[in-house]
Amino acid sequence: MNDSIQQQIETLFRNDSRRVFATLARVLRDLDLAEDAMQEAFAAAADQWPGDGVPENPIAWLVTTGRFKAVDSIRRNTKLAEISGDVVERMSRVAGTNASRAATAIEDDRLRLIFTCCHPAIDVKVQVPLTLREVCGLTTDEIARAFLTTPATMAQRIVRGKAKIRDAAIPFVIPELSELPERLDSVLSVIYLIFNEGYSASSGESVTRSDLSGEAIRLCRLVLELLADAEVMGLLALMLLHESRREARQDPRGNIVLLEDQDRSRWDHHLIAEGQQWIERSLASRRFGGYTIQAAISAVHAGAATAGDTDWKQIVSLYDVLLRIQPSPVVELNRAVAVAMCDGPEFGLQLIETILDRGELGHYALAHSARGELLRRSGNTAGAIEAFQRALTLTEQASERRFLSDKLQELRGYSEY
């Protein structure tokens, strides 16, 4: 029985700890205090629930416990004596909130926290990393990898962001409609990065984390309710189309299955249909941007009955548009792969070499993996082995490591003949 309860607590922590944190952050208005309170609440659950049983509304219980733990912490901390009265009074006002109302409020607290972290008073270079750390609980190392920078640099940015929220007393609220546009780009960037971490987990055994990608889609729907913007529609479409392929992206052993090898009958065609509808609405507005173009690229894949039926010329053309709207080395890399599929591996390989020669994406595993695959298809086995080996040193995702190791084993066996 106790083992079962402990497993429930671990599942709650994995799936819902950031929801609890977001509500505590709104109430306490201090990210560090909220983090400590959340951790203490889960520790209290591990201590009490095996004897008392799991409460009817465990999320609300954790929030309430976290509140009281924070009050105790403030009272014990003499350095915070000057603000403890204000916080304790605030705690008293909310302590009586009934569980059902608390649970309803919690649903929107992560969105409130996203808007707080994306406040225009915070440096734009800090907004997205801060949100990924505080809203999603990603580690500094994971965020640094996503931004192709060092953990030390990223840690400094996050500390600066937290200090700005505290010192400027930035409110934990969803802004007025007139204030939404200036924060929208950062908010959508955060939601997409949350989705990407769920769709292609940066580390660990699992290829995907459905809790994160599902939360990103939910948050995007909430933003769409607030603001019917074309790019919100485009991002929602993009995530739905990617999510439609989740079940086909790994085999029963948890290994990666590439897009061209996936069983397309396992794709979720309801999600595909909804995604296509949002693309049409976004395009009809004539105010669309990069997310809508990316969604259109994904829709071309979704519309192909087999990998061989993929319209790669159309995909290359869409990447040309995307590069004009949103130039980046990662977009260039994706376009290079599409060119290779359209015109032959040597053409795509030349483009990837140019990107790497510029010193960009040198620490990006997918760039070296793509180069290795194109070298393999060009017949350069030795070069492919070198590229795949480099990619292997740059990824911590277990299934990606198995995939690359299998590629290397196959190539080394082939090179012996």
Side-chain angles (χ1 to χ4, degrees):
M1 178 68 176
N2 286 355
D3 287 345
S4 175
I5 290 177
Q6 187 59 42
Q7 288 176 358
Q8 289 182 59
I9 294 171
E10 290 174 1
T11 300
L12 273 170
F13 187 86
R14 184 169 59 251
N15 295 340
D16 298 303
S17 60
R18 302 321 292 181
R19 292 172 61 200
V20 174
F21 167 78
T23 298
L24 290 170
R26 170 175 58 83
V27 173
L28 300 171
R29 303 177 194 174
D30 185 307
L31 298 181
D32 290 331
L33 185 59
E35 183 73 35
D36 291 342
M38 183 269 290
Q39 297 285 350
E40 288 197 41
F42 273 95
D47 183 55
Q48 296 179 36
W49 291 4
D52 299 344
V54 177
E56 183 177 346
N57 191 328
I59 301 297
W61 186 98
L62 288 161
V63 169
T64 300
T65 301
R67 288 172 182 152
F68 288 117
K69 294 291 184 182
V71 171
D72 290 342
S73 175
I74 290 169
R75 284 173 172 159
R76 288 194 306 268
N77 193 337
T78 56
K79 292 182 180 179
L80 295 178
E82 66 275 11
I83 67 166
S84 62
D86 173 68
V87 177
V88 171
E89 181 183 353
R90 199 183 317 136
M91 296 302 97
S92 299
R93 288 200 304 268
V94 300
T97 305
N98 66 52
S100 62
R101 288 184 60 195
T104 301
I106 288 168
E107 288 303 315
D108 292 337
D109 277 333
R110 292 182 85 174
L111 188 59
R112 290 187 182 94
L113 185 53
I114 287 177
F115 278 109
T116 298
C117 294
C118 294
H119 193 279
I122 299 173
D123 186 337
V124 293
K125 293 181 180 179
V126 174
Q127 292 174 1
V128 175
L130 177 65
T131 312
L132 291 173
R133 177 68 192 92
E134 302 305 327
V135 177
C136 305
L138 299 188
T139 67
T140 302
D141 284 356
E142 288 171 336
I143 300 168
R145 282 196 296 273
F147 283 82
L148 307 178
T149 190
T150 65
T153 299
M154 189 54 66
Q156 290 175 353
R157 291 181 188 176
I158 292 169
V159 168
R160 287 203 310 270
K162 290 164 73 172
K164 186 66 176 181
I165 289 174
R166 181 187 64 247
D167 297 342
I170 294 173
F172 288 77
V173 295
I174 293 174
E176 297 294 328
L177 184 61
S178 61
E179 299 173 333
L180 285 176
E182 66 179 331
R183 300 199 211 175
L184 190 61
D185 286 349
S186 295
V187 169
L188 295 185
S189 294
V190 166
I191 290 174
Y192 192 34
L193 284 169
I194 294 171
F195 178 83
N196 280 336
E197 181 62 24
Y199 189 69
S200 299
S202 60
S203 62
E205 289 294 327
S206 177
V207 176
T208 65
R209 288 184 58 187
S210 60
D211 58 315
L212 285 180
S213 54
E215 177 67 3
I217 290 171
R218 187 188 75 82
L219 289 169
C220 194
R221 292 188 191 278
L222 286 177
V223 175
L224 190 57
E225 290 176 10
L226 294 171
L227 188 66
D229 181 89
E231 275 298 82
V232 183
M233 297 177 194
L235 177 57
L236 180 57
L238 176 61
M239 294 191 296
L240 291 171
L241 289 165
H242 283 332
E243 186 70 8
S244 71
R245 301 197 292 265
R246 173 184 294 278
E247 295 303 318
R249 293 186 64 233
Q250 55 187 356
D251 65 19
R253 296 181 299 161
N255 294 325
I256 293 172
V257 179
L258 296 178
L259 177 62
E260 62 191 72
D261 299 321
Q262 289 175 14
D263 178 356
R264 298 183 179 219
S265 68
R266 298 183 65 197
W267 290 0
D268 188 326
H269 294 279
H270 294 291
L271 293 180
I272 291 173
E274 184 185 356
Q276 290 171 331
Q277 289 172 4
W278 286 118
I279 292 173
E280 291 171 5
R281 288 188 59 179
S282 178
L283 292 173
S285 74
R286 298 185 179 277
R287 298 190 305 273
F288 57 86
Y291 291 121
T292 301
I293 300 301
Q294 290 179 71
I297 292 169
S298 190
V300 175
H301 288 295
T306 68
D309 294 329
T310 305
D311 188 344
W312 287 105
K313 286 186 177 180
Q314 185 180 1
I315 289 176
V316 171
S317 296
L318 288 167
Y319 271 122
D320 288 339
V321 175
L322 184 59
L323 268 175
R324 290 197 296 271
I325 295 174
Q326 201 175 74
S328 81
V330 173
V331 173
E332 283 189 72
L333 173 65
N334 291 335
R335 180 185 178 277
V337 172
V339 167
M341 297 300 294
C342 185
D343 299 329
E346 63 279 3
F347 292 96
L349 189 58
Q350 183 177 357
L351 294 171
I352 293 178
E353 297 282 8
T354 299
I355 298 169
L356 292 173
D357 287 345
R358 292 200 308 257
E360 297 175 314
L361 304 185
H363 297 284
Y364 189 53
L366 292 180
H368 295 281
S369 180
R371 178 172 176 267
E373 179 59 24
L374 296 186
L375 286 167
R376 183 191 71 80
R377 295 186 184 195
S378 300
N380 186 344
T381 302
I385 290 174
E386 181 184 359
F388 281 128
Q389 186 63 53
R390 174 62 174 152
L392 185 61
T393 66
L394 293 171
T395 182
E396 296 183 17
Q397 215 287 326
S399 59
E400 288 181 3
R401 293 185 63 81
R402 288 197 299 271
F403 173 81
L404 292 167
S405 295
D406 288 347
K407 283 280 188 182
L408 285 166
Q409 184 175 0
E410 176 185 343
L411 287 169
R412 284 165 177 155
Y414 177 80
S415 67
E416 292 175 1
Y417 291 94

